[in-house]
Amino acid sequence: MLQDTDGNSQTTRLLTLLNVSALKSKKRVVEPEDAPERRKKRRGIKFSDAESDLNTDTSPEATADTTIAPQNAVEDIVMAVEPDEAPEDEDQQDSSNPYERYFGANPAALTDASKLAADQREWHTVRQRIGSLYASVCSPREGGPITREHKGTISDRLMKTFETRQERQTSAKTQVQNDLLSILTSHHDLHYPCVPISENVIAREAIMLHALDHVTRKRRRIIRNNERIAHAKAASISPPEDVQDQGFTRPSALVLLPFRSSAMNWFNALKSHTMSPSFQVENQSRFMSEYGLPPGAVDKLESAGPGAYPEDHVETFKGNVDDNFRLGIKLTRKSVKLFADFYGCDIIFASPLGLRMSIEKEKSADFLSSIEVLVIDQMNALAMQNWDHVQFVMSNINKLPKDSHDADFSRIKPWYLDQNSIYLRQTVMLSAFETPEMRQLFNTSLKNVTGKVRVEKTWPAVQVPASVDKLFVSFDCSSPREEPDKRFNYFTTQLLPKILKSAVQSTNTVLFIPSSFDFIRVHNYFRKNSPVSFAVLSEYSSNQDISRARQGFFSGKKSFLLISERFHFYRRYKIRGIRNIIFYAPPDNAQFFSELLSYPFLDDGVDASDVSCRMLYCQYDRLRMERILGSKGVKSLI
């Protein structure tokens, strides 16, 4: 999205969109009868390369009223819910309806005071226990802690099958799901930076239940208003005025994921709530072929025996790990349509890279203008790919669109026109652990005026081989901006010279560097200044380079081995020949610390006294150090 340099340009663009929309509405009145068919063939951005006819409906009902925007077409009347499935209070446009209370035309939480508090980060923060979860709850000044339950806020149709499935699982898993739903249905943002592997599936199911309920309620409201407008037109009376029920474009939920296998996991969560015979999934075979492994392929991670690979590595990399994908999903009352058009879908599954390539190719991110629920899963994996892609997507969400896309502006919610959607969007961030980049995103980019919740955890110290000589070396740093330079200067002038003076510590030494920028900087320093031989293992190393580096280090031909954290994240090789380990900075994944310290003992005859470890750190490494030393142990060090 292009940045506006003129203070009035946003208003000018919005007025232009209104004028274009008005002109299009006038033109539709005099169009010939076959105009709807021609409009269906208009060019649009697609999530798939192949053409899709999922949203095409040639029934008379679909072309009866050409004055209604395509996203409100009568063909969607199939989503109308029967009276026994939609209680009367669910369809009332008042505060008793959970959806209307938070995403209606006039949400109570959206006030000038709450927007100002969000912009200036003046949150009222309380620590609260929400069931089994400990969390920091941030609310605008007039806000308060979470007190409500999720019971009664999810539609009966979805909740019935969900509770039936909960009866077959343990009470601990049910408790976690209920705790998450208590936060989600209160429409707070959620930052859960300590999701254990055992809770991945149940967390996805709970979040997808909430997202499905949100989309279903929104479409139900649009369809009900379509009926009201049609009835008013048939009776030749004035149409209702309280029909502001949509955004600029149809997609309202976005799930950002690192790999196609992750999309497969979220599809399974979606499918668990939309099972046959109540729902039919269209294009499922195509989805399985494009997002699963090729026919006949064997996943070496899943087929390997227990203990061959770390559990978190298997969970992350099993299946199809392509990181360039986009998938649109359209929901009707009885079907889930995969590979829907960008502007005709309700939910988007995509990787940050896939979205960025699409946005830059089409020079438009309008399909992200009306996102109301955003889920970012496996953020620790996204950080290892390219965090800049995540920031790019975040900078393009909930922006004023460049084109009207045939939207009926009389149906758009006022807070969209006032560019206040960022204050109501609900964001869910999930990760195995937290990094400073995630905390920064939580602190500065999430402005939900309802409030936001960050789950906290008391971390235990990681288990490492006993009696290994571990030395944590601190350096002074007064500003985060100075941290890279201060760390590099201390390493090259203080720590490394001392190590090189020791005949024992200057051989069989691994230098582990978490940041890719630091890795390049240190690598260049070694190339120009190091008096010792060294080899390099990075995420860009070929298989031949890796084999040569490992063999040279193990044989003693190379005294130093430089390893990037991204290399270890993607490859997880067990390195032999290690006697000394230097951590240029604490690793983001605390498990990498214990793994590196265990590798020396892969060789026969190695005693704990033969192994040494040095770690360079400062006060800005607190999050990483806490996961290594434990929440209690880090207090004595930082």
Side-chain angles (χ1 to χ4, degrees):
M1 204 70 169
L2 295 176
Q3 298 295 324
D4 295 308
T5 57
D6 185 357
N8 297 322
S9 58
Q10 291 280 10
T11 303
T12 302
R13 288 173 55 200
L14 182 55
L15 290 174
T16 302
L17 289 174
L18 286 168
N19 292 333
V20 171
S21 179
L23 289 174
K24 289 182 178 179
S25 298
K26 292 179 181 178
K27 291 180 180 179
R28 283 198 292 268
V29 175
V30 297
E31 282 178 341
E33 292 183 357
D34 62 343
E37 292 298 322
R38 293 204 303 269
R39 281 201 304 275
K40 288 172 187 174
K41 298 178 181 180
R42 69 187 184 278
R43 182 178 179 272
I45 306 173
K46 297 179 70 64
F47 276 107
S48 57
D49 295 332
E51 290 294 324
S52 172
D53 62 350
L54 292 178
N55 298 312
T56 301
D57 190 342
T58 58
S59 63
E61 292 79 6
T63 58
D65 187 357
T66 61
T67 64
I68 298 178
Q71 64 170 317
N72 304 316
V74 183
E75 58 95 14
D76 281 334
I77 204 70
V78 294
M79 278 195 65
V81 180
E82 300 297 334
D84 60 332
E85 295 175 330
E88 184 67 18
D89 62 337
E90 285 194 357
D91 285 318
Q92 297 300 316
Q93 294 185 347
D94 55 33
S95 59
S96 64
N97 186 332
Y99 176 82
E100 292 295 329
R101 182 161 54 247
Y102 294 101
F103 290 98
N106 299 291
L110 187 63
T111 64
D112 290 339
S114 63
K115 291 192 296 181
L116 182 63
D119 287 333
Q120 298 182 353
R121 297 171 59 182
E122 295 179 352
W123 301 94
H124 175 67
T125 303
V126 296
R127 280 181 168 79
Q128 179 184 354
R129 180 166 182 171
I130 306 172
S132 60
L133 302 176
Y134 292 90
S136 290
V137 181
C138 304
S139 305
R141 291 189 180 278
E142 67 270 18
I146 296 175
T147 57
R148 59 194 300 259
E149 297 292 335
H150 71 278
K151 300 295 184 181
T153 59
I154 304 292
S155 63
D156 293 341
R157 186 189 186 197
L158 292 173
M159 201 65 194
K160 183 177 179 181
T161 56
F162 180 69
E163 290 179 336
T164 301
R165 196 163 53 257
Q166 280 189 325
E167 294 174 355
R168 300 193 294 268
Q169 65 187 23
T170 64
S171 58
K173 292 183 178 180
T174 299
Q175 177 66 42
V176 171
Q177 288 182 326
N178 292 340
D179 295 342
L180 291 176
L181 286 173
S182 296
I183 300 172
L184 296 172
T185 54
S186 68
H187 290 276
H188 283 67
D189 289 342
L190 171 62
H191 180 24
Y192 194 176
C194 47
V195 184
I197 294 176
S198 59
E199 295 180 7
N200 281 338
V201 174
I202 59 175
R204 285 193 291 264
E205 289 183 357
I207 296 169
M208 182 52 66
L209 174 68
H210 173 66
L212 277 175
D213 182 72
H214 177 90
V215 170
T216 304
R217 289 181 185 275
K218 179 180 179 180
R219 297 305 302 165
R220 183 182 299 154
R221 170 59 56 211
I222 292 175
I223 292 165
R224 178 59 59 90
N225 286 337
N226 287 348
E227 292 176 330
R228 295 171 62 204
I229 294 173
H231 292 161
K233 183 177 180 180
S236 299
I237 61 176
S238 299
E241 297 182 355
D242 58 337
V243 291
Q244 292 84 9
D245 52 16
Q246 59 196 249
F248 296 108
T249 55
R250 177 164 176 165
S252 58
L254 170 64
V255 184
L256 282 181
L257 304 165
F259 306 112
R260 287 181 182 251
S261 58
S262 309
M264 179 76 73
N265 293 333
W266 278 89
F267 169 73
N268 291 334
L270 169 65
K271 193 176 178 182
S272 68
H273 303 299
T274 56
M275 301 183 67
S276 60
S278 300
F279 288 87
Q280 298 297 322
V281 180
E282 299 186 18
N283 287 334
Q284 183 173 355
S285 59
R286 175 185 170 188
F287 173 79
M288 300 301 291
S289 65
E290 293 187 13
Y291 284 77
L293 291 174
V298 178
D299 192 330
K300 68 175 185 178
L301 295 180
E302 286 192 294
S303 60
Y309 297 94
E311 183 182 8
D312 67 309
H313 187 70
V314 175
E315 182 68 20
T316 301
F317 289 103
K318 66 182 180 182
N320 189 332
V321 292
D322 176 58
D323 62 353
N324 183 6
F325 63 92
R326 302 156 301 280
L327 176 69
I329 303 174
K330 179 181 179 181
L331 301 175
T332 67
R333 182 172 175 263
K334 291 188 176 182
S335 68
V336 177
K337 300 181 179 181
L338 306 178
F339 298 97
D341 293 343
F342 265 34
Y343 293 97
C345 67
D346 298 293
I347 302 176
I348 298 172
F349 289 171
S351 64
L353 173 62
L355 280 186
R356 181 167 192 168
M357 293 182 66
S358 175
I359 292 171
E360 291 180 341
K361 178 181 179 180
E362 302 293 339
K363 296 181 174 57
S364 173
D366 290 355
F367 58 91
L368 300 179
S369 63
S370 304
I371 297 298
E372 295 176 346
V373 176
L374 168 65
V375 180
I376 312 177
D377 191 21
Q378 293 179 271
M379 297 185 73
N380 53 303
L382 294 176
M384 286 292 160
Q385 291 178 335
N386 192 333
W387 189 252
D388 185 59
H389 296 334
V390 178
Q391 293 177 316
F392 178 85
V393 173
M394 294 297 295
S395 68
N396 282 278
I397 292 181
N398 299 122
K399 298 296 183 181
L400 194 66
K402 295 180 178 180
D403 191 9
S404 64
H405 300 284
D406 291 332
D408 184 348
F409 277 74
S410 66
R411 300 285 296 273
I412 294 179
K413 300 171 186 177
W415 45 269
Y416 271 111
L417 299 175
D418 295 336
Q419 303 177 54
N420 288 329
S421 56
I422 191 174
Y423 297 107
L424 294 173
R425 184 193 72 224
Q426 184 180 28
T427 305
V428 181
M429 300 165 51
L430 305 174
S431 179
F433 51 82
E434 188 177 27
T435 66
E437 292 81 6
M438 299 177 199
R439 181 70 67 89
Q440 186 267 349
L441 187 67
F442 176 80
N443 288 339
T444 62
S445 298
L446 305 192
K447 298 183 177 182
N448 186 351
V449 293
T450 304
K452 50 187 180 180
V453 178
R454 178 170 57 84
V455 178
E456 298 178 340
K457 177 181 178 178
T458 301
W459 292 92
V462 296
Q463 300 297 316
V464 297
S467 303
V468 171
D469 178 23
K470 298 181 292 293
L471 178 62
F472 297 93
V473 182
S474 65
F475 64 95
D476 294 330
C477 183
S478 58
S479 169
R481 293 182 180 274
E482 299 176 355
E483 183 268 333
D485 292 334
K486 292 281 188 178
R487 188 185 300 272
F488 179 77
N489 291 335
Y490 188 91
F491 174 77
T492 56
T493 62
Q494 301 292 327
L495 183 59
L496 186 59
K498 292 180 181 178
I499 293 174
L500 294 178
K501 289 180 181 180
S502 171
V504 175
Q505 296 186 9
S506 59
T507 58
N508 304 107
T509 301
V510 160
L511 177 57
F512 188 88
I513 308 173
S515 167
S516 295
F517 299 106
D518 289 337
F519 183 84
I520 295 172
R521 190 176 193 179
V522 174
H523 181 201
N524 289 335
Y525 176 83
F526 267 74
R527 283 196 303 111
K528 297 177 181 179
N529 304 291
S530 177
V532 296
S533 58
F534 69 94
V536 175
L537 292 177
S538 74
E539 62 270 27
Y540 302 108
S541 300
S542 65
N543 290 335
Q544 185 178 4
D545 294 336
I546 294 172
S547 178
R548 187 184 300 112
R550 294 177 67 187
Q551 179 60 32
F553 180 75
F554 178 70
S555 64
K557 294 180 181 179
K558 303 294 183 181
S559 299
F560 272 67
L561 181 62
L562 277 58
I563 301 178
S564 70
E565 184 166 3
R566 285 187 177 181
F567 169 83
H568 195 63
F569 170 76
Y570 284 107
R571 300 284 188 162
R572 222 54 171 261
Y573 284 154
K574 296 179 180 179
I575 308 298
R576 300 186 61 181
I578 301 175
R579 297 298 180 270
N580 308 290
I581 306 169
I582 304 172
F583 288 92
Y584 186 81
D588 279 318
N589 191 338
Q591 188 172 337
F592 293 174
F593 177 75
S594 61
E595 288 177 1
L596 265 292
L597 262 65
S598 68
Y599 290 166
F601 303 98
L602 297 174
D603 302 326
D604 296 333
V606 176
D607 190 79
S609 60
D610 301 329
V611 182
S612 69
C613 172
R614 302 290 182 268
M615 179 178 290
L616 195 59
Y617 77 96
C618 69
Q619 66 266 35
Y620 301 112
D621 295 322
R622 183 182 181 89
L623 292 177
R624 298 171 175 177
M625 295 293 289
E626 182 181 11
R627 295 190 289 270
I628 293 174
L629 300 176
S631 299
K632 295 181 180 180
V634 74
K635 295 179 180 179
S636 61
L637 207 62
I638 300 180

